[in-house]
Amino acid sequence: MLILKKLITLGIVFLFLASLGSFAVSSPASRDSKQEALAILTEDSKDALISATFEGGDGQVYISTVEAIGFPTDGDSYVILSSGIASEAVDGSIGSTGGISISNGHPVFGTEINDVATLTIKLKVPTNAKTLSFKWLFGSNEIPEYVDEYRDLFRAYAILPDGSTKDMALLPNGNILYVGDRIQNYTASDQNVSINEVTSAYTATLDVSKYRGKEITLIFQIADERDDSVDTFAFIDELKFVRESREKADRRSYIMMIQIWSKYFFNEYDQFAALYAKAEEIGVSNETLEKALELHLNATEQILYAWHTDDLESIRIKIWKQYVPLPRVYAIRRAYLYERDAIELLMSAIEEIES
Ligand SMILES: [Ca+2]
Ligand SMILES: [Ca+2]
Ligand SMILES: [Ca+2]
């Protein structure tokens, strides 16, 4: 069967007719492919979807619910992308191929590629996102006979907010996927799958913490090299943003409270000595002075207790960088409130005398 296909492609007349045919049938425009994107996205990352489009023959992308070779990895559906009819991998023949060719389109060799299928997914990076990741698996009917001869490819890369690109679906050795001798660990696929050989499933991961709130575009592309008759497939699922854990977010807001209340405390504390001296000088009652001093001492006691120290000045430096052991935030707040009351008491007593 494979040999027959190759023989056909060697016949010039057939090749000519075949390419004429495939070009005549299709002038594929990109179409909405939100459903495909939703099949790949995990439940809690679906709200990050801005838009999705597909370019290629209508059969080259397929939302599958067939359980095969570990897919779906999340939810009950996933996407198969193919340089032929994608559903043929698991579910018969649905749709047509597209016949889009790109001369010099091969990302590794710069050669012509055919039956190019491109799924584009635009996402907004959540404000607490750490990484963007998805699971993928590559398989081809070119393997094992035509390895390094018909170097069909699967490429998945991100277009970052600054316009630069970053390849995501890479082999453990860092290579972009193509039917070449560096593809390793491929195995005959299981009974549910009509692909000669498939790789293991891999996880692609990109650090997106720098792009929070911004847009990232993901491009998934698959194609034949040289001819278009023996096809290649990619399975894709579990596209998701991994977010900062609740625990970490909680710790961050806890530290922010520590910083804020400590700063408030020192704003009040730094006024005390001058105000107290002035109050004494203009004759504020001893009772009031004593009360203010008591509040001030309570405040100091609380802030030292909060910061596990007996050196008040050292706290000023620690506020911005040292949280081990973690200060007691409730005691910092209490210290601030005592100090604030002390200041208010002195100020109103002074005001009363001066007016
Ligand atoms: Ca899914
Ligand atoms: Ca091929
Ligand atoms: Ca093809």
Side-chain angles (χ1 to χ4, degrees), residues 301-327:
E301 189 185 327
Q302 285 297 319
I303 196 92
L304 293 173
Y305 169 73
W307 280 88
H308 314 273
T309 180
D310 52 14
D311 176 7
L312 190 76
E313 290 308 306
S314 74
I315 298 173
R316 291 186 198 266
I317 300 154
K318 287 181 186 168
I319 288 176
W320 305 110
K321 54 186 182 194
Q322 194 184 319
Y323 310 113
V324 180
L326 203 59

Side-chain angles (χ1 to χ4, degrees), residues 6 83 140 142 150 152 223-225 227-232:
K6 295 298 178 189
S83 63
S140 180
E142 303 279 10
Y150 294 83
D152 294 4
D224 288 310
E225 192 207 25
D227 74 347
D228 60 15
S229 60
V230 178
D231 297 317
T232 289

Side-chain angles (χ1 to χ4, degrees), residues 262-300:
S262 296
K263 194 157 163 24
Y264 283 0
F265 166 81
F266 279 111
N267 284 349
E268 302 291 334
Y269 179 89
D270 289 342
Q271 300 175 56
F272 185 84
L275 267 182
Y276 188 88
K278 183 174 178 185
E280 217 172 12
E281 192 185 310
I282 67 172
V284 168
S285 73
N286 275 343
E287 195 188 337
T288 302
L289 287 173
E290 265 170 38
K291 179 72 189 155
L293 188 61
E294 187 192 329
L295 287 165
H296 176 68
L297 292 175
N298 283 343
T300 309

